[in-house]
Amino acid sequence: MSRASLAEVEERFNAVAGSADLGTLADELFAVADLFDREHGLRRSLSDAARPAEQKAQTIRILLEGKVGAAALETVVAAVSARWARSGDLADVLERLGVVAASAEAEAQGRLDDVEDELFRFGRIVAGNLDLHRTLTDPAAPVQAKRELLTTLLGGKVGPSTLRLVTQLVVHPRGRSLDGGLEEFGSLVAAQRQRLVAVVRSAVAFSEEQKQRLAAWLRTSYGRDVHLNVEVDPRVIGGFSVRIGDDLIDTTIAGRIEEVRRRLAG
């Protein structure tokens, strides 16, 4: 999967996810990923690098408008507009962002650590129960029966984000073993927990090179990966500001004036 293309889609996802119901967004991204897995012709058409991005975006808007929310639609539009090395990357990136949305849902509820623990414990339970493992991984078993079994097993015992992730893995294994899928999703949840988000305000848009340099500097300063959400605000005069949690780095003219005022007042 192209890192540059993934970064493009992640940037659009982050821009629209903040105003969305994250659980619904996760479900919708999982559903579209499943659609692309099933409809090979559609997937190949929408990942064809020879087709103009605008044409592919229009196709997916016509197909999904009114069937998924605005955040999911814009994320899928960004995905089909990007360039991928293979057609399967299209479904892969949407499922990946579905996991990120479910993780962000848990994070907003203060349950992100719980999701990691619950995925791990579920994996151990299944590994120790051959009948349960056989039932959950049987390709001939009805999908609805698997959903109902998971709800019976896990309902009220794990958070909604964990149930959402486990259901995705069991109902749509996508060629993975259940153990491998749980490990993959657990790694994505862990990455979400480790990531910092920086809100950058500037009067002008940053180039890709500028964003990469700033992200590298922040990663060195904080010792962790930092995702940039860049907000273009014409009211900013000179420089830019970066907020990470309670930390503020302000290089704007207004920020420098305020710093001088504080020093004079001190």
Side-chain angles (χ1 to χ4, degrees), residues 5 8-9 32 35-36 40-65 72-87 89-90 94:
S5 294
E8 287 176 18
V9 183
V32 178
L35 171 67
F36 287 157
H40 298 174
L42 176 65
R43 186 184 69 212
R44 284 194 297 269
S45 174
L46 292 175
S47 59
D48 184 356
R51 289 188 65 194
E54 297 81 4
Q55 188 182 92
K56 291 186 287 185
Q58 182 180 21
T59 298
I60 204 65
R61 286 188 186 280
I62 292 171
L63 183 65
L64 296 181
E65 200 112 46
L73 180 59
E74 291 306 315
T75 301
V76 178
V77 166
V80 301
S81 299
R83 297 177 69 89
W84 305 105
R86 60 184 190 88
S87 64
D89 288 345
L90 196 52
L94 293 176

Side-chain angles (χ1 to χ4, degrees), residues 3-216:
R3 288 192 177 186
S5 294
L6 175 60
E8 287 176 18
V9 183
E10 284 181 331
E11 183 174 0
R12 186 58 185 152
F13 167 83
N14 285 314
V16 299
S19 59
D21 180 295
L22 292 167
T24 299
L25 176 57
D27 288 340
E28 290 174 344
L29 292 176
F30 287 152
V32 178
D34 181 47
L35 171 67
F36 287 157
D37 279 338
R38 295 194 320 269
E39 301 294 337
H40 298 174
L42 176 65
R43 186 184 69 212
R44 284 194 297 269
S45 174
L46 292 175
S47 59
D48 184 356
R51 289 188 65 194
E54 297 81 4
Q55 188 182 92
K56 291 186 287 185
Q58 182 180 21
T59 298
I60 204 65
R61 286 188 186 280
I62 292 171
L63 183 65
L64 296 181
E65 200 112 46
K67 298 174 184 174
V68 299
L73 180 59
E74 291 306 315
T75 301
V76 178
V77 166
V80 301
S81 299
R83 297 177 69 89
W84 305 105
R86 60 184 190 88
S87 64
D89 288 345
L90 196 52
D92 289 349
V93 71
L94 293 176
E95 184 187 63
R96 179 191 181 98
L97 292 176
V99 176
V100 173
S103 301
E105 174 192 40
E107 188 173 29
Q109 298 166 351
R111 298 197 74 259
L112 192 56
D113 288 344
D114 293 338
V115 174
E116 282 191 79
D117 292 339
E118 289 163 356
L119 289 175
F120 178 78
R121 284 191 281 110
F122 177 73
R124 300 285 66 76
I125 291 170
V126 174
N129 187 323
L130 292 180
D131 288 338
L132 177 60
H133 185 278
R134 190 177 300 115
T135 300
L136 292 177
T137 58
D138 181 1
V143 166
Q144 189 56 34
K146 290 182 178 181
R147 290 185 184 275
E148 291 173 359
L149 175 58
L150 288 172
T151 300
T152 300
L153 286 172
L154 301 177
K157 299 170 186 170
V158 303
S161 301
T162 302
L163 181 57
R164 180 172 281 112
L165 294 176
V166 170
T167 300
Q168 170 65 14
L169 284 170
V170 169
V171 174
H172 304 295
R174 307 188 67 230
R176 296 169 296 220
S177 68
L178 183 53
D179 289 348
L182 288 168
E183 183 177 350
E184 178 185 335
F185 278 18
S187 295
L188 290 172
V189 172
Q192 178 75 11
R193 182 167 53 82
Q194 293 296 323
R195 188 182 69 162
L196 292 173
V197 176
V199 178
V200 183
R201 292 178 64 244
S202 171
V204 296
F206 277 31
S207 68
E208 283 304 314
E209 181 183 358
Q210 287 172 323
K211 286 191 285 189
Q212 289 172 9
R213 287 168 56 192
L214 178 58

